[in-house]
Amino acid sequence: MRFGQMVTAVDWREWALAQNPDVEFIDGLDAAIIGVAVRCGEPAAVIYDGDSCLKILERDMGADQANEFFWREVVPSCGGAGAPVFLIRPEVEHG
């Protein structure tokens, strides 16, 4: 895989698994995958966009419930050498 190459969720899965056979995926959140973290001296990990995860969860529950579920169920359920990374972009005031 090369930088800037268009890929599908299946491509991400295959490539990530080739880098780290222990990589973890979260059921139902493939659309929130934005990349694979290749870390120096550490195994590769799938990167999920936190906002996209919440939007996906909000399809089945309210915004507050999705937020609580994400932080209390999704994030703590991950662990080990294949644990995913969640990109969280806080709102920043400029001025």
Side-chain angles (χ1 to χ4, degrees):
M1 189 170 304
R2 59 184 163 71
F3 290 107
Q5 178 181 350
M6 294 294 292
V7 297
T8 66
V10 172
D11 294 331
W12 279 126
R13 281 181 171 271
E14 291 175 2
W15 194 79
L17 286 166
Q19 305 307 306
N20 176 7
D22 296 323
V23 74
E24 292 180 28
F25 295 93
I26 302 168
D27 290 338
L29 296 180
D30 279 1
I33 295 173
I34 58 171
V36 175
V38 180
R39 305 173 291 172
C40 297
E42 298 290 329
V46 174
I47 305 170
Y48 288 89
D49 177 71
D51 289 334
S52 296
C53 289
L54 290 174
K55 287 177 184 169
I56 292 168
L57 293 171
E58 287 173 7
R59 294 177 192 162
D60 296 322
M61 57 188 83
D64 289 340
Q65 289 173 312
N67 189 56
E68 184 172 339
F69 183 80
F70 178 75
W71 290 108
R72 290 185 184 227
E73 302 294 332
V74 175
V75 174
S77 72
C78 305
V85 173
F86 296 96
L87 178 62
I88 308 299
R89 292 177 274 209
E91 294 183 30
V92 177
E93 289 187 34
H94 299 280

